[in-house]
């Protein structure tokens, strides 16, 4: 396994977009600034999508303009199209992410487009980003199952990841959107994609619906992956995948990694405190087992 892992903190975007309790703009800014102080090096700040589709992130420009950007920390934002790209760039965004699915059915339900159409939409965004010196991260969702079509053919996952990488995405995040995968499936999926996309350009993104996320991450670590997406306090889920629980909690991932002797650069107690702070703002308990344990230790 790798000796160090980069955690991509997705709570402020992927987490908050599916929380039922709204979070004030000032609290979103405070959340990102708190996360910046924990040692995290990549924090997905927000999403420049239509407020009609994701009302929780309607204040994307205000949030990004309000955070204190710490040197050495990346603050990527999700953009769906050129309009979103322009909005993001107008407030100084230097890294973006684009999103598609390996499932045709999920893409149609999610963005009303086929896989090929979604990739075609990204092409001008990628071209502009490369010209502007903006880094682009690619998300591939439903890599281990789809709420609409069920099983997702592995060759579709490989094809989409390969195309995003060829288009210029420096990193491809492979997401089990509805959290149905098991370690054997996760390992096989990663091996297949790594046959077409270099392992250093791959990341994993697991939801914990069936309690398999940490086991799936460990299986992928054993294959050599060194980038893991996670959300502080286990926030969020997927608004288009009914019943999908939140992302795996960043605190729980960091605890496991440190127990394996893998460096993250993250201050775990500070991260756990931030998770409890966020949960209180959302009116619920933290979704992190480690966060709860450290609170009473």
């Amino acid at each position: 396994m790798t000796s160090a892992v980069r955690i991509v903190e997705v709570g402020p975007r992927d987490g908050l977009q599916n929380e039922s309790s709204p979070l004030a703009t000032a609290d979103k800014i405070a959340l990102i600034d708190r996360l910046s102080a924990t040692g995290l090096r990549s924090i997905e700040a927000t999403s420049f999508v239509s407020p009609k589709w994701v009302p929780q992130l309607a204040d994307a420009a205000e949030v990004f303009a309000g955070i204190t950007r710490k040197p050495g920390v990346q603050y990527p934002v999700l953009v769906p199209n050129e309009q979103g790209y322009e909005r993001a760039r107008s407030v100084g965004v230097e890294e973006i992410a684009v999103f598609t699915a390996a499932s045709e059915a999920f893409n149609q339900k999610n963005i009303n487009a086929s896989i090929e159409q979604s990739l075609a939409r990204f092409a001008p965004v990628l071209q502009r980003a490369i010209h502007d010196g903006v880094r682009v991260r690619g998300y591939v969702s439903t890599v281990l199952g789809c709420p609409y079509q069920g099983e997702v053919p592995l060759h579709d996952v490989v094809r989409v990841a390969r195309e995003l990488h060829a288009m210029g995405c420096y990193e491809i995040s492979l997401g089990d959107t509805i959290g149905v995968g098991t370690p054997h499936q996760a390992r096989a999926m990663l091996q297949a994609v790594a046959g077409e996309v270099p392992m250093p350009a791959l990341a994993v993104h697991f939801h914990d619906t069936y309690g398999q996320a940490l086991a799936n991450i460990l299986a992928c670590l054993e294959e050599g992956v060194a980038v893991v997406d996670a959300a502080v306090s286990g926030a969020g889920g997927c608004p288009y995948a009914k019943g999908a629980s939140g992302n795996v909690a960043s605190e729980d991932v960091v605890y496991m990694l440190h127990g394996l002797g893998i460096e993250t650069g993250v201050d775990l107690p500070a991260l756990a405190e931030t998770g409890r702070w966020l949960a209180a703002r959302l009116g619920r308990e933290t979704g992190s087992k480690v966060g709860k344990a450290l609170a009473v230790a």
Side-chain angles (χ1 to χ4, degrees):
M1 288 188 287
T2 179
S3 61
V5 161
R6 187 175 93 252
I7 302 291
V8 177
E9 172 56 56
V10 300
R13 195 281 297 176
D14 192 33
L16 294 185
Q17 77 172 13
N18 199 38
E19 288 289 341
S20 58
S21 301
L23 195 66
T25 300
D27 285 338
K28 293 176 184 176
I29 293 169
L31 170 62
I32 296 169
D33 288 347
R34 280 172 170 261
L35 291 168
S36 295
T38 67
L40 287 161
R41 290 176 289 144
S42 187
I43 303 168
E44 192 178 47
T46 187
S47 173
F48 285 81
V49 299
S50 169
K52 174 183 176 182
W53 299 112
V54 188
Q56 285 280 43
L57 303 181
D59 55 359
E62 293 83 355
V63 168
F64 196 87
I67 64 176
T68 300
R69 285 184 270 174
K70 186 176 181 180
V73 179
Q74 298 295 323
Y75 299 92
V77 304
L78 189 72
V79 300
N81 48 37
E82 285 191 272
Q83 183 180 12
Y85 179 76
E86 290 167 1
R87 289 176 56 210
R89 288 291 286 160
S90 71
V91 290
V93 166
E94 297 175 340
E95 180 175 332
I96 65 168
V98 295
F99 169 96
T100 190
S103 158
E104 286 286 1
F106 191 84
N107 259 324
Q108 290 290 351
K109 291 278 189 178
N110 189 349
I111 59 175
N112 196 32
S114 68
I115 292 173
E116 291 304 322
Q117 288 170 329
S118 70
L119 292 171
R121 287 180 187 177
F122 297 146
V125 177
L126 268 293
Q127 291 168 2
R128 292 182 63 174
I130 292 169
H131 177 268
D132 295 341
V134 173
R135 301 208 311 166
V136 186
R137 192 172 196 252
Y139 281 104
V140 182
S141 69
T142 62
V143 298
L144 294 176
C146 170
Y148 308 114
Q149 75 177 52
E151 186 175 340
V152 177
L154 199 53
H155 63 79
D156 285 343
V157 180
V158 174
R159 175 172 63 92
V160 175
R162 181 180 64 239
E163 291 196 30
L164 283 174
H165 187 251
M167 289 170 70
C169 292
Y170 78 93
E171 189 167 275
I172 309 298
S173 174
L174 303 166
D176 182 12
T177 310
I178 55 174
V180 295
T182 60
H184 177 74
Q185 294 169 319
R187 188 190 304 272
M189 180 274 299
L190 181 65
Q191 288 173 337
V193 177
E196 298 282 347
V197 180
M199 188 68 79
L202 296 177
V204 292
H205 182 124
F206 291 107
H207 287 220
D208 205 30
T209 310
Y210 287 83
Q212 301 293 295
L214 287 176
N216 290 343
I217 290 169
L218 179 58
C220 293
L221 289 170
E222 291 173 344
E223 293 301 314
V225 82
V227 184
V228 177
D229 295 2
V232 65
S233 192
C238 177
Y240 303 102
K242 187 177 180 179
S245 65
N247 293 282
V248 66
S250 304
E251 304 94 311
D252 299 358
V253 174
V254 170
Y255 181 85
M256 181 181 76
L257 292 172
H258 289 180
L260 290 167
I262 296 173
E263 295 180 9
T264 65
V266 176
D267 180 336
L268 180 56
L271 184 64
E273 173 57 33
T274 297
R276 293 191 295 270
W277 174 89
L278 173 61
R281 291 297 185 279
L282 295 172
R284 60 167 174 78
E285 282 192 343
T286 178
S288 164
K289 288 183 170 60
V290 169
K292 291 176 183 176
L294 291 180
V296 297

